[in-house]
Amino acid sequence: SRVRRENKQNLWKTNKYFIMEMENVKLSQLNSVEETLLKRRVHTQKIEQRQKDALNRKRKDHTRLKKDLKKEVLTPAHFIKRYMKQQETYTKYKAMKNRKTSCFDHIDHNRLIVVMRIRGSKPMAPQVNNVLKYYKLKHLYECVFLKTTPSTLQNLKKVEPFITFGYPSKALVNELITKRGYTQLNQKRVALKDNAMIEEQLGQNDILCMDDLVHELWTASSQFEAVRKFLCQFKLNKPKGGIPDLDKKFGKGGAYGFRAEKIDDLVSSLV
């Protein structure tokens, strides 16, 4: 019986050690399998990324090639047409500049006006382009607030066929600033949604909130120029079907020129 007991104990010990060894082997095998799987996964991810990059490069090259194929061959006729268009806008510019009597003689001085660009024909005379760029009217259907000083009216007179303008109501000023008001920070257009932004930029001029901004514009006060520089141009919606009769004055049933208080109807419909 003693011998049997010893044999059982020895067998139990050997089994125990054998089971422990087997467990260790299994654990090491599992770890090695997991490591190889992870390496394989990383390798496949790298291959997939390379394939995606190659496909994107191929697509870009294809689109570039399509654009190149669509480009027209510039013939001498193209440059002649371009020059004729420039001369056409320049003759209009000269005619407007040298006019002795115009609607500008009846406009009140030191009053707020809203100016909107309604023509975007390119190419145009450099003189016309420079005036429009100076007042931030670089694109079609953009508008700005201006003060009717003699120099401003003289410049607007030169580009009258390309713009329409008039006296805005206080409601329109408020609507434009609240819905389409933007300023430029770090060369980016930022919406005016926070009074803290206005206070930070115009606090030295005692302009602390949106209401102060509207008041300074509406009254065309001494702080008007600071507010004008702070605001970006207002980008309006494109009217359905465009604006008709662009070659005629507003007073003669057309579109361009001075509209007085009737500018509200056009601008508010595009906000």
Side-chain angles (χ1 to χ4, degrees):
S1 62
R2 186 181 173 185
V3 175
R4 279 181 185 176
R5 202 180 299 125
E6 285 178 359
N7 288 337
K8 278 184 182 180
Q9 284 177 356
N10 291 333
L11 183 65
W12 183 80
K13 282 180 184 178
T14 52
N15 286 338
K16 183 182 176 183
Y17 292 137
F18 177 74
I19 289 163
M20 285 172 70
E21 282 177 11
M22 285 300 292
E23 283 178 355
N24 290 333
V25 167
K26 282 177 184 176
L27 285 170
S28 62
Q29 281 178 352
L30 280 170
N31 290 337
S32 64
V33 168
E34 283 177 4
E35 193 175 349
T36 51
L37 281 171
L38 285 171
K39 283 181 180 178
R40 193 179 298 164
R41 197 176 296 159
V42 170
H43 182 63
T44 51
Q45 282 174 356
K46 283 181 181 178
I47 291 169
E48 284 173 3
Q49 190 61 41
R50 272 192 231 119
Q51 287 174 348
K52 281 181 183 177
D53 293 340
L55 188 65
N56 287 334
R57 280 197 298 272
K58 206 172 184 180
R59 281 176 182 164
K60 282 180 183 177
D61 293 339
H62 183 64
T63 50
R64 201 180 295 120
L65 183 66
K66 279 178 90 175
K67 282 180 183 177
D68 291 340
L69 288 171
K70 282 182 181 178
K71 281 182 183 176
E72 292 181 31
V73 178
L74 300 178
T75 58
H78 172 82
F79 294 102
I80 292 166
K81 190 179 178 182
R82 185 184 178 88
Y83 175 75
M84 292 298 285
K85 278 188 178 179
Q86 281 184 342
Q87 285 300 108
E88 188 184 339
T89 54
Y90 181 65
T91 50
K92 281 182 183 177
Y93 166 81
K94 275 183 78 176
M96 293 295 168
K97 186 181 175 183
N98 299 327
R99 256 187 329 174
K100 291 181 180 178
T101 58
S102 66
C103 63
F104 291 88
D105 301 331
H106 310 291
I107 293 173
D108 302 331
H109 285 268
N110 295 323
R111 191 171 170 183
L112 177 70
I113 56 168
V114 61
V115 183
M116 176 182 164
R117 181 171 175 176
I118 57 170
R119 289 183 95 164
S121 58
K122 289 184 181 180
M124 60 175 64
Q127 294 90 341
V128 175
N129 209 12
N130 290 339
V131 174
L132 292 171
K133 275 186 178 178
Y134 178 74
Y135 291 118
K136 301 180 183 178
L137 297 170
K138 295 180 182 178
H139 303 288
L140 199 59
Y141 308 121
E142 288 183 345
C143 72
V144 291
F145 290 119
L146 296 177
K147 192 176 180 179
T148 54
T149 59
S151 59
T152 301
L153 292 175
Q154 190 62 34
N155 283 330
L156 293 180
K157 188 178 176 182
K158 298 170 187 175
V159 294
E160 191 185 358
F162 300 90
I163 59 169
T164 185
F165 59 99
Y167 305 129
S169 62
K170 194 171 184 179
L172 179 64
V173 176
N174 192 21
E175 189 180 9
L176 278 170
I177 288 176
T178 51
K179 289 185 178 179
R180 302 277 176 169
Y182 281 81
T183 187
Q184 196 163 17
L185 290 175
N186 301 324
Q187 298 180 346
K188 288 182 181 178
R189 278 173 63 92
V190 182
L192 294 176
K193 291 183 178 177
D194 190 6
N195 287 333
M197 190 191 301
I198 298 168
E199 186 179 354
E200 187 182 343
Q201 298 294 322
L202 299 170
Q204 67 273 16
N205 300 314
D206 296 328
I207 300 168
L208 307 175
C209 61
M210 207 83 80
D211 292 334
D212 292 343
L213 211 63
V214 173
H215 176 74
E216 294 297 328
L217 285 170
W218 173 244
T219 55
S221 64
S222 56
Q223 306 297 335
F224 179 84
E225 197 59 30
V227 174
R228 189 182 77 81
K229 287 179 181 177
F230 170 72
L231 289 170
C232 291
Q233 65 274 28
F234 302 98
K235 295 187 176 185
L236 305 178
N237 295 322
K238 185 180 177 182
K240 288 182 180 179
I243 298 175
D245 300 321
L246 289 173
D247 294 323
K248 291 180 185 178
K249 270 191 172 186
F250 179 73
K252 295 178 180 178
Y256 77 82
F258 184 55
R259 293 181 179 235
E261 285 79 9
K262 291 183 180 178
I263 192 73
D264 270 28
D265 301 331
L266 176 65
V267 176
S268 59
S269 65
L270 304 179
V271 174

